[in-house]
Amino acid sequence: MSKLSILVYPDQRLRRVAQPVTEFNEQLKQLVTDMAETMYAAAGIGLAAVQVNVSQRVVVMDLSAGKNSLQVFINPELSELKGSAESEEGCLSVPGVVATVERAQTVKINAQDVTGRRFEMNADEMLSICIQHEIDHLNGKVFVDYLSRLKQHRIRKKLGGKKLSKESRAAVSVAAA
Ligand code: NI
């Protein structure tokens, strides 16, 4: 296992649109393992492959209190987006920033597991918000994009070119995805 480094906004590599996974092999399993380790080490609740500079449609997530319930979504797609809900979001790629974002309240997720098996599930609350946030990453989008231009400017000024220590990043990313 190895920990991967997380790209920090406004890194342009976060803008790349990830490619669908077509090979469900050992390399994919290793990527998922490494992404999970990276997410847990950073005390995040979700991570998309784009954030670790891998242009593939892979998401890991763990919304459990005990951090013992890893969820893996390969090639995830959403349908049946219903309602709207505002919540406070953070992101491992935008350390130290939390902001209110409006998203669909409930969604249906279609995805594959690490072996390629297809599954679907209905998501609400945290899972719904988090999967929408992560699929945005796979499409080159960051939650900062939903904020006002002024807020975006402030965040770029705060994070641009500045490297945060691992400790401070972990401290501010308690609910980051
Ligand atoms: Ni994120």
Side-chain angles (χ1 to χ4, degrees), residues 49-116:
V50 170
Q51 292 178 271
V52 291
N53 200 25
V54 174
S55 197
Q56 291 199 57
R57 302 189 81 81
V58 177
V59 167
V60 297
M61 207 183 282
D62 191 338
L63 305 177
S64 69
K67 295 288 161 208
N68 54 9
S69 186
L70 183 70
Q71 289 177 289
V72 179
F73 301 91
I74 313 290
N75 300 325
E77 285 181 16
L78 299 182
S79 60
E80 299 179 23
L81 287 81
K82 288 178 190 158
S84 71
E86 284 192 338
S87 62
E88 296 274 294
E89 293 188 24
C91 179
L92 293 176
S93 292
V94 194
V97 176
V98 174
T100 303
V101 177
E102 186 180 340
R103 297 191 185 270
Q105 190 170 21
T106 62
V107 299
K108 184 171 164 184
I109 307 169
N110 280 278
Q112 285 164 279
D113 69 13
V114 77
T115 67

Side-chain angles (χ1 to χ4, degrees), residues 1 3 5 10 12 16 31 39 45 62 64-65 67-68 71 77 87 89 98 112 114 120-122 131 133 153 156 162:
M1 296 207 293
K3 223 168 72 179
S5 50
Q12 285 304 304
R16 291 199 296 210
L31 172 64
M39 174 183 73
I45 58 173
D62 191 338
S64 69
K67 295 288 161 208
N68 54 9
Q71 289 177 289
E77 285 181 16
S87 62
E89 293 188 24
V98 174
Q112 285 164 279
V114 77
E120 64 173 51
M121 60 201 294
N122 294 309
I131 194 71
H133 177 117
H153 177 72
R156 274 198 299 274
K162 200 172 80 177

